[in-house]
């Protein structure tokens, strides 16, 4: 337990010194020896999670913990976004390779230069095939799922920070606005129902 806490503290210290970035990359001019020992993956986010979820100290405000959790969720989303971009960009590389091979084969078999419309149609056909094939793979679906989950987690923790800050400064929270909106909607329904009743009674009196 003590070694884990020490490692967590050293990870945050390395980040504060500019040795490593949010995505785990080692900054230029920094030594990779010690950074590599503490950076097998998403260690900064995991370190923040462990420190925040640890014992609650009296000198640590609740909003500090929630800001740290939101920061950790932001790091996680950035990494999931990078993974998603890597998977989503793969079909373009394959489409470019296939297109060059197709055009090269067409150039050797024909003496005239291919029309740009035919070339564009062939590129559209190849790229659409590769995109559809990629979007049906398990890797793409998994990356898309993880990105969506990370985004929802970040949004939830941002809402926690906003609500805590609003309570701290005596401002209305989102929950308060939701309650007011719900009450206003119910009041409008009651007013419409009452207006219909009055209109129906007036119609009956006229008869």
């Amino acid at each position: 337990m003590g070694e884990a806490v020490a490692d967590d503290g050293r990870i945050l210290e390395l980040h504060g010194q500019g040795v490593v970035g949010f995505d785990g990359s080692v900054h230029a001019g920094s030594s990779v020896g010690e950074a590599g020992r503490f950076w097998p993956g998403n260690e900064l986010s995991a370190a923040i999670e462990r420190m925040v979820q640890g014992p609650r100290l009296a000198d640590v405000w609740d909003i500090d913990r929630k800001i740290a959790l939101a920061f950790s969720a932001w790091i996680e989303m950035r990494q999931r976004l990078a993974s998603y971009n890597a998977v989503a960009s793969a079909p373009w590389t394959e489409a470019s390779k296939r297109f060059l091979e197709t055009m090269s084969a067409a150039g050797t078999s024909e003496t005239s230069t291919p029309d740009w419309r035919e070339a564009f149609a062939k590129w559209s056909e190849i790229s659409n095939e590769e995109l559809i094939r990629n979007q049906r793979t398990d890797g793409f679906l998994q990356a898309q799922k993880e990105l969506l989950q990370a985004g929802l987690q970040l949004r939830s923790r941002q809402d926690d920070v906003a609500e805590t800050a609003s309570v701290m400064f005596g401002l209305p929270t989102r929950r308060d606005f939701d309650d007011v909106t719900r009450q206003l909607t119910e009041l409008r329904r009651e007013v419409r129902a009452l207006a219909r009743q009055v209109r129906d009674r007036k119609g009956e009196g006229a008869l």
Side-chain angles (χ1 to χ4, degrees), residues 136-150:
R136 292 176 178 175
T137 60
D138 294 337
F140 179 86
L141 296 176
Q142 183 66 23
Q144 188 179 51
K145 172 185 175 182
E146 292 176 352
L147 177 61
L148 178 59
Q149 291 176 340

Side-chain angles (χ1 to χ4, degrees), residues 101-112 114:
E101 292 176 351
T102 302
M103 298 306 296
S104 298
T108 56
S109 60
E110 298 179 2
T111 57
S112 61

Side-chain angles (χ1 to χ4, degrees), residues 22-162:
F22 296 146
D23 57 354
S25 59
V26 180
H27 290 170
S30 302
S31 174
V32 298
E34 188 173 11
R37 184 171 72 88
F38 290 102
W39 218 259
N42 189 11
E43 284 298 325
L44 178 58
S45 177
I48 294 175
E49 289 280 352
R50 288 193 295 268
M51 295 183 70
V52 171
Q53 300 295 347
R56 295 183 176 272
L57 304 178
D59 59 344
V60 179
W61 289 7
D62 185 53
I63 191 172
D64 292 341
R65 293 178 177 275
K66 292 186 176 181
I67 290 176
L69 287 173
F71 181 64
S72 174
W74 178 76
I75 297 173
E76 181 72 15
M77 193 200 70
R78 285 290 301 273
Q79 292 188 340
R80 298 305 177 189
L81 179 60
S83 300
Y84 174 81
N85 289 336
V87 175
S89 62
W92 293 108
T93 303
E94 185 64 24
S96 300
K97 180 181 177 181
R98 286 183 53 192
F99 177 74
L100 291 176
E101 292 176 351
T102 302
M103 298 306 296
S104 298
T108 56
S109 60
E110 298 179 2
T111 57
S112 61
T113 303
D115 183 68
W116 69 269
R117 294 181 178 84
E118 296 178 358
F120 182 76
K122 178 59 67 175
W123 164 252
S124 299
E125 178 185 353
I126 294 175
S127 59
N128 285 333
E129 290 177 358
E130 292 297 331
L131 287 173
I132 293 174
R133 182 183 297 108
N134 182 67
Q135 291 173 0
R136 292 176 178 175
T137 60
D138 294 337
F140 179 86
L141 296 176
Q142 183 66 23
Q144 188 179 51
K145 172 185 175 182
E146 292 176 352
L147 177 61
L148 178 59
Q149 291 176 340
L152 293 175
Q153 181 73 359
L154 175 61
R155 180 61 181 272
S156 175
R157 291 184 174 178
Q158 286 176 334
D159 291 343
D160 290 341
V161 173

